[in-house]
Amino acid sequence: MWLGPEEVLVANALWVTERANPFFLLQRRRGHGKGGGLTGLLVGTLDVVLDSSARVAPYRILHQTQDSQIYWAVACGSSRKEITKHWEWLENNLLQTLSIFDNEEDITTFVKGKIHGIIAEENKNQQPQGEEDPGKFKEAELKMRKQFGMPEVEKLVNYYSCSYWKGRVPRQGWLYLTVNHICFYSFLLGKEVTLVVQWVDVTQLEKNATLLFPECIKVSTRDSELYFSMFLNINETFKLMEQLANIAMRQLLDNEGFLEDKTLPKPSKPLKNISALKRDLDARAKNEWYRAYFRLSKDERLDGHTDCTLWTPFNKMHIPGQMFVSNNYICFASKAEEACHLIIPLREVTIVEKADSSSVLPSPLSISTKSKMTFLFANLKDRDFLVQRISDFLQKTPSKIPSDNDKVWKGGVGDPGCELPSSSPVAISPTSVFSNQKVCTGEVPTASQGLLKLFRRDSEELLGPKGAKEKMKEESWNIHFFEYGRGMCMYRTAKTRDLVLKGIPENLRGELWLLFSGAWNEMVTHPGYYAELVEKSMGKYNLATEEIERDLHRSMPEHPAFQNELGIAALRRVLTAYAFRNPTIGYCQAMNIVTSVLLLYCNEEEAFWLLVALCERMLPDYYNTRVVGALVDQGIFEELTREYLPQLSEKMQELGVISTISLSWFLTLFLSVMPFESAVIIVDCFFYEGIKLILQISLAILDANMEKLYLDNVVNQQSVSPPIPHLHALLTSGDDPPLEIDIFELLKTSYEKFSNLRADEIEQMRFKQRLKVIQSLEDTAKRSVVRAICGDIGFSMEELEELYVVFKAKHLMNCYWGNRTAAARRDQSLPYLEQYRIDIEQFRELFATLTPWSCGLHTPVLAGRMFRLLDENRDSLINFKEFVTGMSGMYHGDLTEKLKLLYKLHLPPGGRPLSLKKEKGTSPQDYRYYLRMWAKEKNSKKETIKDLAKMSQEQFIELCKTLYNMFSEDPVEQELYHAIATVASLLLRIGEVGKKFSNRPTKKAENCKENDVQDPVSEEESPMSEHSQNSTLEQHPQAGPEDTASGEIHAVKTQQENQTLGDGDGEGPGSPLQLLSDDETKDDMSMSSYSMVSTGSLQCEDIADDTVLVGCEAGSSAARYGSTIDTDWSISFEQILASMLTETALVNYFEKKADIGQKIKEQKKMERQFSSSSDYELSSVSG
C-alpha cells in the first residue's frame, strides 16, 4: 500500500535492494524470499517472534535523489505482486516527469505531493456509505464551491488526484468534475493554478499516451489543449468525463439538460464513497447499454443483472451468460457473442417457480409463458431475491395488455403466406394481427395489410426457380421457428443471423422487422395510440404537414402502390401521425422513402411503430432539423475508410466527396441509391444488426467499386417480385453498363472483411464524432448569424464572433443556474438568430461589463432603458442581433448617432415600463412570420433626426442625470460637468422660450394626446409626477461661470457623500432603482430626487442625486413641495444636438473611440475565473 512519505536515514540496514532507478529503490527485507544467510535468518526470526502489529512489511519502495542522504518510504507491500504493481505505476507515471525537474528539492516535493494525493483518493473510496453523499465527498464539494465560486445548484459528480501539464511542467492537484464544468486546482511551491472549462466548450476528449506525456487525458477546446495525467484509475475518470461531455452535447442539440434521477433506489449494501450523482450516471450508462442491446423502449430501466446459465433445448446445452431484469422484461445474453440472447416480456409470463436444486443443476429457476414455452435458468447466486423482484414487477404489469398469442388468436386469420407446422410451440405472427381489422375506428380509411399484398403483380417468377427458392426460404424459417420458438420469446442465435443474411421471405418480412427492431413491444403496450394520433392530426396544418404533402408523390413513384390514392393516403397518415407524436423532429426528407418501404410489408400501425423505432432508437438524431445523427455516423464511416481503405480515403478526401456521396446511403438505408429488391435485403439485415451493418456494407461497396462508384449494378437474383425500375437508372444511360454485383455476395464480403466492428466501439466512435459534429454545427450557426448582421453593425467579424460567444455563454449559464426557463426558449426549428435569447437580468449583467457608458450605480437603470428600447416585439427577450445593435450604437457612429441613441433611451419605449406579459401572437412563429419580418426590415426606411419625437421636461431631466452619471468616472469630469451644466441651462431656457410661441391650452391637449399615443401605460406613471416634487428647492443669486463650476464640484461631492435620496443606493423610498426592482412599471421615471421650477429662467443646473436647481425669479418654501412638472415644456433633438456641439469637452467625449475587445476579455474572465469572485459578485455573475 502507499505510505505517507516517511523519512528513512539508513536505507540498507536489514534490507536488500532488488530494483533501482535514479529516483526510487525497491527493497526486500532480509529473511524473506531466497538467500539472506545468517543475517536474514535472524531478521526473519525477529519479525515472526514480534507481535503482528510490530511486524514490518517484507517489501518497500524508497524515494531518493542523487545528492541527498535522506530517503523517503513511499510504499510497502506484503507480497512481491503488490509491491511490483506500485513500482510499475511509479515507473510508468512518474519517472519521465521527474527527469524534467532541475532542482532535487522540487523533485522530492512533487513526489510527496503526488503520494499524499493517491492516499487521499484511496481513503475517500474506503469511507462508509452512511448517507446519500458521504462526509468526505461533501467536504470536497464545499471546497470546490469555495475554490471556484460555484453556486449550490452546481453539483459535484466526482474528484480525482492528478497532474495538469502546464507547458512541460506538471502541476499536482485535484480535478473536480461537476455537471457543467471541469475544474482543476493546484497549489505547489507557491504557485497556484486554477482552471474552469465548461463541458459545452469541449471539442475533443481523448485518452492517449505519448513520449512527452505518460498515459493521459487530453481535453481540447477551441482555444486550448489541456493534458491531465497520473490518475489512479484513468479508465473510470475518462468514462465519467465522456458521460458529462455527452450530456452537455445533448443540451446543445435538443435542450435536454441534466436532471438528477430522484427515484434512484438507495444501495442495499454499503458502497464505496460514491456520490448520488455518480451512481445516477452509472445507472444511466447501464440503462442505455441495456436498451440498445435488447432494442427496448426509452422508458425501460434496468433493475439489476446476475450471472447464470440458460438451458437451450435446440442444442441441449447450458449456456453461461447474464440475466437482466427490468420493469417489463427478463433478458439473457450469453458470454460468447451470438451464442444466444433472449427477451421475455413480463406480459407473457405466467409462472415463475424455483425448481429443485441438484449438483448438476444448482439453484434453477423456471419461467413459463402464455405461448407454452418454458425457460430454465440455473446457477443463480441469489435466487430468492431474484424471484421476489420478478414477482414485484409482475404485480405491476398491467393485466389489460393482451399477449402476443392473444392478438393472433383474436385476429382470426393467419398470414396466408406463412403456414406453420402444427407442432410449432409458438405461432405468433405480428403481421397478421390487424390483417382483417381497421387500424382506426370511424370512417378513416387505412391500409390494413402490407401494400405489397394489395398491389402484387402477377409474375411468372412465382412459379419458376425464384418462386421455389422463396418457398425454400419460408420452409427454412418455419423449421427455425419450430426449433427456436417464434415471436418475442424466440431464442436468437448465430443461426438466426445466418437466415437473415440469406434474405427474409416477403411474407415474413413485416413480422420479423417488428420483432428484431423492438417495435412490436411498443405497439402491443400502446393499443389504440396510432388511431388516436391519426384522429387528432386530421385536418391540422403546419410546416411539417406542408413538407409531407410536397414529398408524398416523390416517395417510390415507380412502385404501383404509390401511384394511387390508397398508398399515398396511408403514407400521409403515418408521416403526419409521427410528426404530431414528435414535434421536435416533425418531418425530415428521407423519412418518406423509408416509410413507403415499411408500408409495403406492414399495415399502417406497424409501419408507424417501425418508424418510431428507427427515428428514436436505431438511428438516433438522424431525422432532426440538422441530421446530426447521420453526420455523426458519416464521421465514423470516414474514420473507418481511413483505417480499412487508406488509398481510396486519401483520394476521396482530396476531392472532398465522401460525405456528399454517402449521406443518402445512411439517411435512406440505401433505398434511394440501389435497386429496390437489393436495398430491401440491406434493410432486413439492418433491423437485426443495427448501424454496424450499414457501416460494413458501405465499406464493402467502396471496396468493390474502387475504380468507379456505381450502385445501380447491385442486384438481387433471388427476388420473386418483378424488378422495379430504379429512378436513378432511368435518368442515367451508358453504352457499357458495369458488371452486376449480387447483393448476397456483397453482404458476404462485408462480413468477411469488415465484421470485426463491435457495437461498443461504434458507440465510442459516435461520442467522439458527436462532439466534433455538434461543435462544428455551433460554429456554423455562429458564422451564419454573424454574416447575417455584419453589414448593419459597426463591429468587425471577429468582434461579432466574440460577442456571440459571450451572449451564448450568458444564455447557457442561466440554463445551468437560473430558473431553467431559459432552456425552453431555445427552439431548434427557429432561425439561428432566434435560438439564443436573454432576459433583462442577463442583459443587465452583460451591459454592466461591456458598455463604454459606465454610469456607476445608475448603470442598471440605463441597462433597463436599453433593453426596453431593443425589445421591439415586447416579449421580454432579446436576440443576438438586437443585443449587438444596442452595443454598436454605443461604440460606433459619430456624435450625432450616439446622442440620438441616448435621446431615444429617454423616450418611450426606452422609458416605458417592462411588459411582463407576452403580446398575443408572440409565441413560437412559423416561417411566414419570419418572411414578413424580413420583408419589413428590407423595406424599412432609415430613421432621421426629423422623425424623433420631442422630449418633455421630465424626460430631459432624466437625460441630464444619465449624462452626469456617465461623466463621473472620466479623467476630465470637471470640464464635462461644467459643459453639461451650461448646455442644460441653455436648453431649459430654450424650452421656456418655446412655450411663448405656442397656444398653452392647445399644446397641453396635444401633449396629453401625444403622451397617450407614445406610452399606453402612462396613466400609471402620471401620478408619480405629482407626488415626486418633494425634494428641496432653494433660491440662489445668479451665479457666474466660476461659481457654477464650484457649485458643480460641490454637488458631485454631495452626491458621493449623501446617498439617501438618489437612485444610486437603491434604498430610498423614491429611488428609481428601488422602484425598478420592486415595481417595473415605475422604473426610473420617478422625479422624487429632483425639484423643478416650472416658470422663469434658470441660470445653472447641476443634476446630481442631491441636485439644487437654481432659479432666478421665484421660489418660496411652499414651492419646495408644491411645484409640478411643466407639461407645456418640450425640446427637440435638433436643439439638444446644436447645444452640445457648442461644448468641445462634450464633442470630444462622444467622438472618443472605444475598444470592445478588452471589455469582452474582462467578461470572459468574470465567467471563467470564479475563484476570484466574492459571494456578492458571484450572485450577479450567475444570474
Side-chain angles (χ1 to χ4, degrees), residues 881-1137:
K881 182 177 181 179
E882 293 165 338
F883 171 73
V884 293
T885 299
M887 287 291 120
S888 180
M890 294 184 287
Y891 276 95
H892 301 286
D894 54 13
L895 168 74
T896 305
E897 293 297 320
K898 290 178 181 177
L899 282 177
K900 189 165 75 170
L901 176 61
L902 265 176
Y903 184 86
K904 288 168 69 175
L905 287 176
H906 294 80
L907 293 174
R912 67 169 168 78
L914 180 66
S915 173
L916 297 179
K917 295 181 180 178
K918 290 188 178 184
E919 292 184 342
K920 293 181 180 178
T922 57
S923 54
Q925 306 288 351
D926 62 11
Y927 69 100
R928 297 189 193 90
Y929 168 80
Y930 293 102
L931 286 174
R932 287 195 296 271
M933 292 291 290
W934 177 75
K936 184 179 177 182
E937 288 178 8
K938 189 177 178 182
N939 298 327
S940 61
K941 295 180 180 178
K942 191 172 182 180
E943 186 182 51
T944 64
I945 58 177
K946 297 285 185 183
D947 300 324
L948 296 172
K950 287 191 174 184
M951 182 176 275
S952 69
Q953 195 175 61
E954 180 181 5
Q955 292 160 352
F956 176 70
I957 296 301
E958 288 296 329
L959 173 61
C960 292
K961 177 189 172 185
T962 298
L963 289 169
Y964 268 91
N965 281 285
M966 282 169 58
F967 301 152
S968 64
E969 298 175 8
D970 197 272
V972 291
E973 60 179 348
Q974 293 186 17
E975 295 178 30
L976 290 168
Y977 284 147
H978 188 281
I980 194 61
T982 305
V983 169
S985 177
L986 175 63
L987 287 170
L988 283 168
R989 279 194 236 120
I990 290 174
E992 292 296 328
V993 172
K995 287 196 303 181
K996 297 176 182 178
F997 294 94
S998 60
N999 189 344
R1000 294 187 74 176
T1002 305
K1003 180 151 186 179
K1004 182 177 269 190
E1006 286 175 354
N1007 281 345
C1008 292
K1009 184 177 179 181
E1010 183 179 345
N1011 287 339
D1012 288 341
V1013 172
Q1014 285 181 346
D1015 192 354
V1017 289
S1018 59
E1019 294 176 5
E1020 298 178 11
E1021 295 181 358
S1022 57
M1024 292 299 299
S1025 49
E1026 297 178 8
H1027 298 291
S1028 60
Q1029 310 305 319
N1030 300 327
S1031 54
T1032 307
L1033 174 69
E1034 297 186 13
Q1035 183 178 1
H1036 286 275
Q1038 194 168 12
E1042 295 176 2
D1043 295 331
T1044 301
S1046 63
E1048 290 158 9
I1049 296 169
H1050 172 72
V1052 174
K1053 288 180 180 177
T1054 309
Q1055 175 187 3
Q1056 294 171 348
E1057 293 168 4
N1058 184 2
Q1059 297 289 336
T1060 58
L1061 287 176
D1063 68 332
D1065 59 353
E1067 294 178 2
S1071 158
L1073 190 56
Q1074 169 74 12
L1075 294 167
L1076 188 65
S1077 58
D1078 293 343
D1079 184 0
E1080 288 284 0
T1081 61
K1082 293 173 183 172
D1083 187 49
D1084 52 308
M1085 297 298 292
S1086 166
M1087 294 298 295
S1088 59
S1089 304
Y1090 309 104
S1091 57
M1092 294 293 306
V1093 178
S1094 58
T1095 58
S1097 173
L1098 295 179
Q1099 175 67 24
C1100 179
E1101 186 179 53
D1102 191 351
I1103 317 294
D1105 284 347
D1106 280 350
T1107 294
V1108 177
L1109 294 181
V1110 185
C1112 297
E1113 296 180 1
S1116 64
S1117 59
R1120 297 179 186 178
Y1121 304 101
S1123 61
T1124 59
I1125 295 294
D1126 191 343
T1127 55
D1128 294 333
W1129 190 97
S1130 65
I1131 200 83
S1132 68
F1133 176 72
E1134 294 98 316
Q1135 292 168 325
I1136 291 177
L1137 176 62

Side-chain angles (χ1 to χ4, degrees), residues 328-330 343-353 366-371 373 375 390-391 394 397 403 489:
N328 293 301
Y329 299 92
I330 300 169
I343 302 169
I344 308 172
L346 291 181
R347 63 177 183 271
E348 290 292 303
V349 174
T350 54
I351 300 172
V352 178
E353 59 182 348
S366 172
I367 298 176
S368 302
T369 67
K370 295 175 183 177
S371 54
M373 292 184 75
F375 303 95
I390 295 174
S391 176
L394 280 171
T397 303
S403 72
C489 300

Side-chain angles (χ1 to χ4, degrees), residues 311-331:
W311 170 254
T312 51
F314 52 86
N315 61 0
K316 307 293 188 295
M317 290 177 63
H318 291 281
I319 297 180
Q322 284 189 317
M323 176 193 284
F324 301 85
V325 179
S326 60
N327 42 335
N328 293 301
Y329 299 92
I330 300 169
C331 301

